[in-house]
Amino acid sequence: MSLATTSPALEVDDLSVRYGDVVALDCVSLTLPRGSVTGLVGVNGSGKSTLMRAVVGAVRPLSGTVTLLRRP
């Protein structure tokens, strides 16, 4: 297998996001393999949309990293 097929599609490491005094994400980490289908579920206000916004670069994280297809 090549590196392209064995490396993760998405890696989130120790990601934290704040909106003013509100901590929306606190030290979130996850790894999604290439070719997988993943659902993101949770109660209202649990940070699902904030996580997706951080992944696509729409919000700036307080700390942590996001790597999509081996690119920051």
Side-chain angles (χ1 to χ4, degrees), residues 41-64:
V41 297
V43 299
N44 290 345
S46 62
K48 301 176 301 291
S49 296
T50 299
L51 175 60
M52 292 297 98
R53 287 182 181 114
V55 165
V56 300
V59 296
R60 175 169 284 209
L62 179 66
S63 63

Side-chain angles (χ1 to χ4, degrees), residues 13-33:
D13 186 40
D14 220 14
L15 190 70
S16 296
V17 176
R18 292 181 69 116
Y19 297 118
D21 292 337
V22 176
V23 177
L25 294 176
D26 189 24
C27 301
V28 173
S29 295
L30 66 95
T31 301
L32 300 179

